Amino acid sequence: MFWAGSLWAVGYVVVPGLFETLDQVTAGEVAGEILSRINHIGLFCLAVLLLGQLLRRVRPWATHWRLWLVLGVLALTAFAEFVLAAQMAEVKASGEADGELFASLHRTAASIYLVQSVIAFVLVLAGTGPAPEPKPAPEGVTAD
């Protein structure tokens, strides 16, 4: 929940507010730093969720959709933080932050953020644990 709430608050409230109140360059620098911190929070929280999924599985772990969802969003978050962010920093350092390559990297990062947000929403709604087993009806009672 902490990761999901942070993701939504930062991405859809804080960052747009930065761009409304600050100049583009400053807003971009601050947003980049905040989003990097959100990625680190996500990596930690998702690693804990993944460990929990692996430890709690009664059935074979490879067949459970929640585990794969957590693993997938963990991989996306790591890619966004360690690959895309590094590429964007290189492009900015080269002085081409207004070019098409940076715009393409930014669109990719924004798309990944949207996917992370949706997956976080699904995990919050569905929970991370297995569905509860139905309780058997007491003897002599029939379910109609």
Side-chain angles (χ1 to χ4, degrees):
M1 292 287 291
F2 177 69
W3 166 68
S6 299
L7 193 70
W8 300 328
V10 166
Y12 304 108
V13 178
V14 173
V15 170
L18 290 173
F19 281 93
E20 288 175 8
T21 58
L22 301 173
D23 64 276
Q24 291 279 352
V25 173
T26 305
E29 289 173 4
V30 173
E33 181 60 35
I34 293 172
L35 291 170
S36 177
R37 290 176 189 216
I38 292 300
N39 280 336
H40 285 100
I41 290 169
L43 290 170
F44 174 77
C45 291
L46 290 164
V48 169
L49 279 174
L50 181 62
L51 182 61
Q53 290 292 303
L54 291 172
L55 294 175
R56 291 173 63 184
R57 291 292 136 228
V58 180
R59 60 181 132 172
W61 63 268
T63 63
H64 202 272
W65 67 270
R66 284 183 187 98
L67 173 86
W68 290 107
L69 205 55
V70 170
L71 191 58
V73 76
L74 180 62
L76 275 176
T77 303
F79 178 78
E81 180 59 25
F82 300 118
V83 176
L84 277 179
Q87 290 176 344
M88 291 172 80
E90 281 181 31
V91 171
K92 283 188 346 186
S94 72
E96 297 179 29
D98 292 333
E100 183 56 36
L101 177 58
F102 186 82
S104 175
L105 292 169
H106 189 272
R107 282 190 301 272
T108 302
S111 297
I112 288 173
Y113 201 90
L114 178 61
V115 170
Q116 289 172 308
S117 301
V118 171
I119 291 173
F121 185 71
V122 169
L123 288 172
V124 166
L125 284 182
T128 57
E133 294 292 325
K135 294 180 182 177
E139 206 169 300
V141 177
T142 59
D144 293 325

